[in-house]
Amino acid sequence: MIRRWLQATAYWSALVLVIAALTHLVSILALPYRSADTAYARVARAAGRRPLTSVVVASEERGPDQDPALVTSVCLYDLRQGPIAITLDVPSTGFAALSVADRYGRMLYGLTNRSAAHDQLALTILSSVQVTRRSAASEAAATDVRVESTEPEGFVVAQWLATAPSERPAAEAGVAHLSCRPAQ
Amino acid sequence: MPSMGGSRCNEGSVAFAGREGRFVLRLLKLLVSVAAGVALGLAATWASLRGDPVLSDVRSGAWIAWPRSGSADADPYTRAAFAHAGRLPLASAAGLQFIARTDDAGHPLEGRCAYTVTGPVPTAQYWSLTLLDPDGVARASVLPRSGFTSSEVVRSSNGGFVIAVTQEARPGNWLPVHGDAPFILMLSLYETALGTALATGGPVPVLPAIARTACP
């Protein structure tokens, strides 16, 4: 009798644990897709939800754990209308970076002014289909930095370190020139 | 005979009622198990999002970082925690950020206490030390400064530095604290190979020491 009771308890407990593990895994995996106040949501609010419009974002608007010395501008992209070309003029000294994230917060690519050619960072964001089409159509553009985004929507972040308060105006002017436009 | 037939019929009804009862009981147990499992799973998710993500974290003294948070192969727990907090990670190519919520002795950082932060800092083109409130927001509007960059910090003759983190003004590198409330420190390293090294299991470097010098 006790053995039967123990067997039944073990059976139902195992069932509870399996369901708990599945629920936990599914909810953790789904969270980036279901959260309301993600980094993308904040960036979209700051950019007025207008794609390809670059906006300088204050550190308080960028969410938690942001360095106020890192002057930042963002622009939203939507690849459903075609690939997007991004350029940012950067200083040859100091620190500036350009990064691309999809709308679910996956950081896709980043590069800094160390890898700039002629003091400019440039990259093209494409969907997987656009990458295949472009590879077949164009050999000439093979030297471009191409970033493949599996999600059609995302955002670009331009960052420029103001190493002292006196450098802030130059940094703000620098990131304000982040250019996001449809690629030719 | 009719009475015997009636008895058989009753036995059948009792057996059917017994089977039906067992079925209802099993169904109830199944429903309770599913509900308990879902509740337990969601509670585990909630608990895992309450603190800092623990999978793929790197710790050195009081400092903690998530080197993969700024790359496409961030683990699901780190991605979930960053998405839940609305936190934008620094791209791995740009740098790496460490957070400290305690001093080196493990005591939470509190505004009523005084601290010193002393080198060394791992190799990076630039670094900054920022004071944030526990929600990760810089109090730039209420404080004369909310951080130091490597270009601003006053160094001693041997190249080292000491930053005083206190409410009262101090000579030299003074990072002011607002009120008695808890706070966190963030060390950002820009243009460093450390993030890639740590993400691939490289050795964890020694980071600046956070010492409590006074606590009334």
Side-chain angles (χ1 to χ4, degrees):
Chain A
M1 182 70 185
I2 291 173
R3 201 175 153 187
R4 259 187 86 182
W5 182 82
L6 281 173
Q7 274 178 344
T9 307
Y11 169 77
W12 290 111
S13 303
L15 186 68
V16 168
L17 287 177
V18 167
I19 292 167
L22 282 174
T23 306
H24 176 60
L25 280 177
V26 168
S27 57
I28 284 288
L29 290 172
L31 224 137
Y33 303 93
R34 306 298 303 170
S35 289
D37 201 22
T38 58
Y40 177 83
R42 287 171 194 267
V43 166
R45 269 201 302 275
R49 304 188 189 283
R50 294 186 305 274
L52 307 185
T53 307
S54 67
V55 182
V56 179
V57 189
S59 68
E60 309 88 72
E61 289 179 281
R62 297 192 325 247
D65 302 343
Q66 300 296 309
D67 184 356
L70 210 55
V71 180
T72 301
S73 72
V74 295
C75 78
L76 304 180
Y77 67 75
D78 187 341
L79 300 175
R80 282 175 281 230
Q81 307 302 318
I84 305 295
I86 310 293
T87 53
L88 176 71
D89 292 333
V90 290
S92 49
T93 57
F95 172 81
L98 197 57
S99 41
V100 182
D102 72 19
R103 69 169 297 160
Y104 301 116
R106 188 184 288 115
M107 200 53 86
L108 302 174
Y109 194 75
L111 72 172
T112 67
N113 54 336
R114 264 199 191 179
S115 44
H118 309 295
D119 289 343
Q120 189 181 64
L121 294 175
L123 50 86
T124 307
I125 311 170
L126 308 99
S127 68
S128 307
V129 176
Q130 289 159 357
V131 167
T132 315
R133 268 192 216 141
R134 284 228 159 182
S135 301
S138 146
E139 291 284 319
T143 52
D144 287 359
V145 176
R146 293 176 175 190
V147 181
E148 186 178 336
S149 175
T150 49
E151 298 294 333
E153 291 172 306
F155 59 102
V156 177
V157 183
Q159 294 163 315
W160 193 311
L161 185 69
T163 54
S166 59
E167 287 186 18
R168 185 163 278 275
E172 284 175 357
V175 294
H177 284 105
L178 168 68
S179 162
C180 308
R181 57 191 160 72
Q184 298 303 311
Chain B
M1 288 300 281
S3 65
M4 272 179 77
S7 159
R8 245 184 241 137
C9 181
N10 283 346
E11 276 168 20
S13 307
V14 168
F16 178 74
R19 274 203 305 275
E20 199 177 43
R22 277 200 298 277
F23 173 74
V24 170
L25 192 66
R26 280 195 155 231
L27 193 67
L28 264 176
K29 278 183 182 175
L30 186 68
L31 285 175
V32 169
S33 301
V34 168
V38 168
L40 197 64
L42 291 177
T45 301
W46 177 78
S48 69
L49 294 173
R50 275 187 72 209
D52 293 321
V54 290
L55 211 64
S56 75
D57 60 342
V58 168
R59 289 167 192 268
S60 174
W63 300 98
I64 178 167
W66 298 272
R68 287 187 179 170
S69 62
S71 66
D73 63 345
D75 68 86
Y77 283 91
T78 304
R79 278 191 67 204
F82 273 64
H84 182 66
R87 183 177 168 186
L88 176 66
L90 190 64
S92 295
L96 182 65
Q97 287 175 322
F98 287 87
I99 299 280
R101 298 183 191 281
T102 67
D103 63 14
D104 285 346
H107 304 297
L109 299 172
E110 293 178 78
R112 65 191 179 89
C113 305
Y115 302 89
T116 56
V117 179
T118 51
V121 175
T123 307
Q125 191 188 359
Y126 291 96
W127 56 261
S128 73
L129 181 76
T130 314
L131 190 142
L132 306 166
D133 72 17
D135 295 328
V137 179
R139 292 181 165 270
S141 54
V142 293
L143 292 169
R145 72 156 61 235
S146 56
F148 273 96
T149 67
S150 48
S151 304
E152 294 173 295
V153 76
V154 178
R155 293 169 192 273
S156 59
S157 53
N158 64 2
F161 66 87
V162 178
I163 297 175
V165 186
T166 62
Q167 282 190 30
E168 298 81 30
R170 297 285 169 90
N173 303 310
W174 173 51
L175 189 53
V177 180
H178 179 71
D180 291 348
F183 63 89
I184 60 177
L185 290 171
M186 182 170 75
L187 178 69
S188 307
L189 308 175
Y190 297 114
E191 195 77 76
T192 175
L194 186 62
T196 317
L198 290 177
T200 51
V204 181
V206 177
L207 292 171
I210 306 169
R212 190 164 74 176
T213 52
C215 201

